[in-house]
């Protein structure tokens, strides 16, 4: 794969942190961003530095996005790829979730993706090429009780990605939405003692960040519209979305399985 100029969000931890390292080692130029500049600086200690630019980025701020794109243009001459990884999750029953958590899910998970796409697309259109990768979740394919806000925000990311793909294809820009199952990240750790989050742990196993990074790296070459991780669980989630009543029937069993693993 030819070396590309890539902006990645959420690089201070989890998937973004691992992905930035994978891309740098593969020879790409990377603008690694995160809201937590201290975590970003710590992560960057393990990355090759000659093709790396680190920058604090609040994905909820459109002006901050414009500044990040300008920084990429100054350092690398432009951007070929945007990977929207940054996300938040506050587990809890829908009727108990706080006002702040409502805003946080929509501002970071949804608006953060939208602002990022809006910021990079004009430059990509001008060059007649580009690739946008948005990380959603299997919670974007099937409803998840106990994570209703998170699921709603990721449904929005997936719907937005599929719609924007139709708009941008004529300009030579690919859009890929990546939908992983539970991944071993700090986001997963904060759910371990929350009863409402038991469904998160109902799968056969937890994915590693490396599995997601490698799937994204493959997607940069193949440019698929959608990536489901793992594929078998993804198609099961799509079936549950196709027949919503099936979720009501399966939820007690999945929650029971999840609680066992959550407490194990």
């Amino acid at each position: 794969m030819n070396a590309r100029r890539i902006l990645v969000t959420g690089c201070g931890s989890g998937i973004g942190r691992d992905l930035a390292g994978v891309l740098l080692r593969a020879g790409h130029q990377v603008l690694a961003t995160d809201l937590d500049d201290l975590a970003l600086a710590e992560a960057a200690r393990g990355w090759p530095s000659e093709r790396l630019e680190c920058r604090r980025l609040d994905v909820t701020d459109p002006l901050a996005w414009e500044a990040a794109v300008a920084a990429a243009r100054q350092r690398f001459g432009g951007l070929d790829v945007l990977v929207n990884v940054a996300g938040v999750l506050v587990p809890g029953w829908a009727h108990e979730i706080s006002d702040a958590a409502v805003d946080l899910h929509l501002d970071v998970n949804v608006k953060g993706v939208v602002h990022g796409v809006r910021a990079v697309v004009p430059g990509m259109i001008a060059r007649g090429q580009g690739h946008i990768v948005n990380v959603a979740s299997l919670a974007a394919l099937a409803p998840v009780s106990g994570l209703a806000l998170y699921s709603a925000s990721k449904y929005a990311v997936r719907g937005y990605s599929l719609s924007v793909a139709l708009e941008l294809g004529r300009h030579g820009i690919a859009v890929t939405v990546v939908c992983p199952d539970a991944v071993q990240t700090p986001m997963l750790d904060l759910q371990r003692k929350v009863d409402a989050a038991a469904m998160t742990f109902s799968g056969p196993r937890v994915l590693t960040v490396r599995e997601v990074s490698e799937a994204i790296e493959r997607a940069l070459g193949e440019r698929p519209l959608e990536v489901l991780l793992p594929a078998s669980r993804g198609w099961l989630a799509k079936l549950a979305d196709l027949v919503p009543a099936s979720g009501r029937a399966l939820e007690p069993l999945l929650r029971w399985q999840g609680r066992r693993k959550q407490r194990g």
Side-chain angles (χ1 to χ4, degrees):
M1 186 192 308
N2 294 332
R4 299 182 189 177
R5 301 163 296 181
I6 306 174
L7 191 161
V8 184
T9 68
C11 295
S13 66
I15 296 168
R17 178 172 180 159
D18 187 76
L19 177 63
V22 166
L23 295 175
L24 286 163
R25 288 188 290 272
H28 301 289
Q29 295 174 299
V30 176
L31 175 57
T33 69
D34 199 281
L35 180 62
D36 187 340
D37 48 1
L38 294 179
L40 182 59
E42 175 64 27
R45 292 180 184 178
W47 300 333
S49 60
E50 63 275 9
R51 286 170 278 100
L52 170 66
E53 181 81 13
C54 290
R55 184 180 182 88
R56 183 182 185 275
L57 173 62
D58 179 354
V59 298
T60 70
D61 182 355
L63 295 179
W65 270 107
E66 290 181 15
V69 172
R73 188 164 53 246
Q74 181 176 4
R75 173 69 189 274
F76 304 136
L79 282 172
D80 302 305
V81 179
L82 166 65
V83 186
N84 279 310
V85 179
V88 297
L89 185 154
V90 180
W93 304 115
H95 64 285
E96 296 176 348
I97 209 78
S98 69
D99 293 345
V102 173
D103 291 340
L104 189 64
H105 280 87
L106 299 180
D107 288 345
V108 175
N109 294 357
V110 184
K111 292 181 184 178
V113 168
V114 173
H115 292 324
V117 171
R118 292 173 61 239
V120 304
V121 161
M124 291 181 176
I125 289 178
R127 290 188 297 275
Q129 61 183 354
H131 193 176
I132 295 167
V133 180
N134 295 327
V135 177
S137 166
L138 287 191
L141 295 164
V144 182
S145 65
L147 302 179
L149 261 179
Y150 180 76
S151 182
S153 70
K154 292 302 187 178
Y155 261 90
V157 169
R158 180 169 175 264
Y160 177 76
S161 300
L162 297 178
S163 299
V164 170
L166 296 175
E167 298 179 16
L168 298 181
R170 71 194 71 169
H171 299 290
I173 302 169
V175 179
T176 300
V177 59
V178 179
C179 300
D181 203 353
V183 185
Q184 184 54 62
T185 65
M187 183 182 291
L188 184 72
D189 293 337
L190 66 83
Q191 300 176 67
R192 290 195 179 277
K193 296 183 179 180
V194 181
D195 181 67
M199 290 280 285
T200 298
F201 302 87
S202 62
R205 69 181 184 87
V206 172
L207 298 171
T208 66
V209 290
R210 183 55 49 86
E211 287 177 285
V212 182
S213 294
E214 290 176 348
I216 293 173
E217 188 179 25
R218 287 194 300 273
L220 295 182
E222 299 168 3
R223 294 161 65 98
L225 179 60
E226 189 172 50
V227 176
L228 310 179
L229 295 173
S232 57
R233 179 107 158 144
W235 286 107
L236 181 63
K238 282 201 170 188
L239 178 61
D241 190 43
L242 184 64
V243 186
S246 64
R248 185 177 302 160
L250 291 173
E251 198 262 357
L253 174 61
L254 293 175
R255 184 162 290 280
W256 175 77
Q257 289 177 340
R259 281 199 182 105
R260 291 181 60 201
K261 295 177 182 178
Q262 189 180 34
R263 296 168 181 170

